[in-house]
C-alpha cells in the first residue's frame, strides 16, 4: 500500500508568517510522530499521537508549534510566527508496532 | 540521559570493505534500537533493529552488535557497495510502556568508493 505522504514537499515563507504542514499516515496506523531534522543534524522528536489518547507534546520547542490529528488519521503541524531557526526538514512517521515508517518530509525555509 | 551519541560523523570506505558505525546510550530503560538509512531528499527508512535480549542480529550484509553492559551498539556493513552511500542514524526508544518516540544519534555520512 501507499506509504506516509507529506505536503507540501517544499515551503518557503517569510519570517513572521504562519505555516501548516500536512501528514497522511499509512492507513490503519494508530501512532503518528512528527520529527524535525535541521541541516546536518539528527532527528529531533516533536510530538506523538496514539489513537484517542492525549498527545505527547514534550518535544515541541515553543508555544509557536502546535499539531492536531483529525479523525485518527491526517495530522497538521502548525508553526506560528515563523523564525529563521525554524528552517528544517519536518518529518512525519506512522507506526503500528515498533517500526516507524517515515514520509519524505517537508523542507521549510524561513527567509 | 536521553542522548544517543553516534560516531564517526563521516566515513569513507572502499567497495568491498567493512563499514562500522558506533552508538552509545545512557538510559538503561531503552529497549529498542533501530538503525535507519537515509538517502538525500528522502525520509529515513528502517534498516535493521535489535532488542537488548540478544547480542547480535544479522540481515544480509548488515549486522547489529549490541553490548548491554557497555550500553553500546554498532552497525557493521559487510562488503560495502557504492549503493550503500547514505546517511545512517542509530536510535533508541522505550518501545514498551511508553510513547515509543525515537531518540536519534547525530548521523553518519557513509561514502563507499568504487
Amino acid at each position: 500500500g501507499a506509504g506516509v505522504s507529506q505536503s507540501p514537499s517544499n515551503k518557503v515563507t517569510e519570517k513572521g508568517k504562519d505555516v501548516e504542514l500536512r501528514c497522511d499516515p499509512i492507513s490503519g496506523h494508530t501512532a503518528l510522530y512528527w520529527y524535525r531534522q535541521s541541516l546536518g543534524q539528527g532527528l529531533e522528536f516533536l510530538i506523538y499521537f496514539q489513537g484517542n489518547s492525549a498527545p505527547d507534546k514534550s518535544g515541541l520547542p515553543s508555544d509557536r508549534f502546535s499539531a492536531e490529528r483529525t479523525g485518527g488519521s491526517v495530522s497538521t503541524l502548525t508553526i506560528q510566527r515563523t523564525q529563521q531557526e525554524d528552517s528544517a526538514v519536518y518529518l512525519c512517521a506512522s507506526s503500528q508496532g515498533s517500526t516507524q515508517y517515515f514520509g519524505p518530509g517537508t523542507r521549510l525555509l524561513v527567509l | 540521559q536521553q542522548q544517543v551519541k553516534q560516531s564517526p560523523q563521516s566515513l569513507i570506505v572502499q567497495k568491498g570493505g567493512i563499514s562500522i558505525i558506533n552508538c552509545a546510550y545512557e538510559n538503561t530503560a531503552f529497549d529498542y534500537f533501530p538503525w535507519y538509512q537515509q538517502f538525500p531528499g528522502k525520509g529515513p527508512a528502517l534498516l535493521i533493529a535489535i532488542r537488548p535480549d540478544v547480542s547480535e542480529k544479522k540481515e544480509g550484509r548488515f549486522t547489529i552488535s549490541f553490548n548491554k553492559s557497555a550500553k553500546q551498539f554498532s552497525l557493521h556493513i559487510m562488503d560495502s557497495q557504492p549503493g550503500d552511500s547514505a546517511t545512517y542514524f542509530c536510535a533508541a526508544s522505550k518501545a514498551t510502556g511508553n510513547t515509543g518516540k525515537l531518540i536519534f544519534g547525530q548521523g553518519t555520512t557513509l561514502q563507499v568508493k568504487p
Side-chain angles (χ1 to χ4, degrees), chain A residues 45-102:
Chain A
F45 167 79
L46 296 177
I47 189 169
Y48 159 78
F49 296 91
Q50 172 65 288
N52 295 319
S53 301
D56 176 355
K57 304 179 181 180
S58 60
L60 294 178
S62 78
D63 59 6
R64 296 186 296 104
F65 288 73
S66 63
E68 62 177 19
R69 188 179 185 190
T70 55
S73 181
V74 172
S75 178
T76 302
L77 177 68
T78 301
I79 309 173
Q80 295 179 310
R81 304 180 303 280
T82 52
Q83 303 295 313
Q84 289 181 332
E85 61 262 29
D86 299 335
S87 297
V89 177
Y90 290 83
L91 290 156
C92 175
S94 70
S95 72
Q96 186 68 14
S98 299
T99 303
Q100 294 184 26
Y101 297 87
F102 283 82

Side-chain angles (χ1 to χ4, degrees), chain B residues 6-50:
Chain B
Q6 182 172 346
S7 63
Q9 186 174 0
S10 62
L11 182 61
I12 300 175
V13 174
Q14 291 294 131
K15 178 182 176 181
I18 302 174
S19 303
I20 302 174
I21 304 170
N22 300 297
C23 283
Y25 63 98
E26 299 172 350
N27 190 341
T28 55
F30 288 147
D31 59 4
Y32 176 67
F33 302 89
W35 284 90
Y36 279 81
Q37 179 187 56
Q38 185 178 31
F39 293 103
K42 305 291 186 182
L46 179 68
L47 193 61
I48 186 172
I50 197 169

Side-chain angles (χ1 to χ4, degrees), chain A residues 33 35 37 41 98 100 107, chain B residues 36 38 51 99-100 102 106:
Chain A
Y33 302 80
Y35 294 88
Q37 184 173 24
Q41 298 295 311
S98 299
Q100 294 184 26
R107 284 149 191 80
Chain B
Y36 279 81
Q38 185 178 31
R51 296 192 183 275
T99 66
L102 292 168
Q106 294 298 94

